Amino acid sequence: MTDKAVCADDRYVVAALYKFVSLPDYQDLREPLLEFMQAHDIKGTLLLAEEGINGTVAARREEIDALLDWLRRDARLEDIDRKESLCDERPFYRTKVKLKREIVTLGVDGVDPNRRVGTYVEPAQWNALIDDPEVLLIDTRNDYEVEIGSFEGAVDPHTKSFRDFPDYVSAHFDPAQHKKVAMFCTGGIRCEKASSWMLEQGFEEVYHLRGGILNYLEQVPEQHSKWHGDCFVFDNRVTVRHDLSEGDFEQCHACRRPISVEDRRSPHYEAGISCPHCWHDLPEKTRAGARERQKQIELARARGEPHPIGRDPRREE
């Protein structure tokens, strides 16, 4: 993707960035990167770790280009991976640069995509690969993401967190039996790390979709697509459709799950407080806290200020 692949207009450019690369000085990079983002009104979160950089940010076209130029001054980040889409409203309200042990948390020591990684498959070749009956196709995302969209024939590991993925694979698949494995995720980072781990476990042929679902949706025409549903994204849009426009899902502020138009018709749906997925499980204390938070969100929205939605522990990509 070229720097001008998404046309400049009055909308925000949402850029998902990542690269696995050795950054032993990652702690020293935090402050100058944060200062640059703040100076250019770039909102969103970037994670830095010794294994690389990951995150999603949004700003006007010229500011995103300035950030990319700034990052590329470091030769280690010259070919940083990125996917872009457009958004009519600002999808983030805060600017953060965080230091982490991992830029995507698998929770297994010694996994290093910089040393060993699976075979990248371009979107144009992905359909042919997953049509192969000998290929085991695994969705590496979490249950709430898979629920609203996935590829034809993909296995849903029903994970609550990426940390659950190794245990699921160990319990259900055998390298001696499953010779060919293909994996995918939202932007490419989770399956890149998962492919490194699976090779270490003895799986012989491990493939992953370059650039993830977002790259596939951008490049493959919908009439030829094997993707069904929406794709969950970790910003205020909640989901995007096949054409990368904002979907119809909203997000429950109590349980953080995406909620459909049908969910919002449920008697158990109360904006900002509960949804059909969590209504039965919410203690009254949590419900009371959610009501107060919703009041603050509405006040902040009326003032055009950041919404105090709070931390989502599932934000792994």
Side-chain angles (χ1 to χ4, degrees):
M1 180 185 290
T2 64
D3 282 353
K4 302 301 180 183
V6 176
C7 298
D9 59 18
D10 61 349
R11 290 178 289 176
Y12 291 94
V13 177
V14 184
L17 312 170
Y18 89 90
K19 185 179 182 182
F20 284 107
V21 61
S22 179
L23 296 176
D25 58 338
Y26 73 98
Q27 295 180 344
D28 297 332
L29 300 176
R30 180 184 180 275
E31 286 304 320
L33 177 55
L34 179 61
E35 290 175 4
F36 184 91
M37 291 172 62
Q38 290 172 333
H40 288 76
D41 196 28
I42 299 169
K43 306 295 185 181
T45 301
L46 291 177
L47 308 180
L48 293 171
E50 190 168 354
E51 69 177 9
I53 184 171
N54 175 37
T56 305
V57 295
R60 302 300 186 184
R61 173 79 267 169
E62 60 272 20
E63 305 300 351
I64 292 296
D65 289 341
L67 175 63
L68 292 169
D69 290 342
W70 189 89
L71 291 170
R72 288 168 179 157
R73 291 173 193 167
D74 187 326
R76 298 170 298 182
L77 302 176
E78 187 173 2
D79 58 345
I80 189 169
D81 184 276
R82 89 179 192 277
K83 276 77 59 183
E84 293 185 355
S85 57
L86 292 171
C87 188
D88 291 329
E89 298 181 2
R90 188 186 289 276
F92 303 109
Y93 298 103
R94 297 174 177 83
T95 302
K96 299 178 183 179
V97 179
K98 298 182 178 181
L99 302 179
K100 294 287 185 177
R101 187 168 179 268
E102 300 177 77
I103 56 173
V104 58
T105 306
L106 185 62
V108 178
D109 291 335
V111 179
D112 185 3
N114 293 311
R115 180 172 54 86
R116 191 181 188 193
V117 74
T119 302
Y120 296 94
V121 180
E122 298 296 336
Q125 283 74 53
W126 183 249
N127 288 356
L129 174 68
I130 66 176
D131 277 343
D132 185 341
E134 295 184 0
V135 170
L136 170 66
L137 179 62
I138 306 176
D139 193 329
T140 66
R141 300 171 305 149
N142 298 330
D143 54 3
Y144 62 94
E145 299 171 84
V146 180
E147 186 177 280
I148 60 174
S150 193
F151 281 107
E152 292 178 12
V155 172
D156 178 3
H158 298 286
T159 53
K160 301 296 182 184
S161 164
F162 190 43
R163 286 178 175 270
D164 300 333
F165 185 79
D167 288 341
Y168 175 84
V169 170
S170 298
H172 292 84
F173 305 122
D174 182 356
Q177 179 182 354
H178 302 97
K179 301 292 187 180
K180 297 180 181 179
V181 180
M183 297 180 296
F184 62 93
C185 56
T186 308
I189 185 171
R190 264 182 281 191
C191 50
E192 186 166 336
K193 194 161 191 177
S195 76
S196 180
W197 177 80
M198 292 190 75
L199 288 170
E200 295 292 340
Q201 305 311 301
F203 291 89
E204 295 177 6
E205 294 183 50
V206 182
Y207 304 90
H208 51 108
L209 178 59
R210 187 187 293 274
I213 300 162
L214 295 178
N215 194 31
Y216 180 91
L217 298 182
E218 181 181 351
Q219 296 196 32
V220 177
E222 189 167 359
Q223 62 267 31
H224 301 307
S225 176
K226 291 185 176 295
W227 174 264
H228 297 289
D230 280 15
C231 178
F232 185 88
V233 290
F234 291 91
D235 59 56
N236 292 343
R237 295 173 298 172
V238 185
T239 69
V240 293
R241 302 184 182 94
H242 201 290
D243 62 0
L244 298 180
S245 64
E246 185 174 344
D248 293 325
F249 285 80
E250 294 183 4
Q251 193 168 36
C252 175
H253 296 162
C255 69
R256 309 298 298 177
R257 289 177 66 99
I259 46 178
S260 66
V261 172
E262 184 177 354
D263 289 332
R264 298 196 292 276
R265 295 193 184 108
S266 167
H268 298 317
Y269 171 70
E270 189 175 354
I273 297 167
S274 66
C275 74
H277 303 290
C278 67
W279 182 83
H280 294 286
D281 301 324
L282 283 180
E284 185 53 39
K285 182 178 180 180
T286 301
R287 205 184 302 272
R291 288 193 180 96
E292 180 58 32
R293 182 175 57 207
Q294 181 63 18
K295 291 179 183 177
Q296 297 304 315
I297 290 171
E298 291 171 0
L299 289 171
R301 184 181 288 122
R303 295 192 295 262
E305 296 175 351
H307 302 178
I309 292 176
R311 175 178 175 270
D312 183 355
R314 304 172 314 179
R315 293 179 67 94
E316 299 175 302
E317 184 170 68

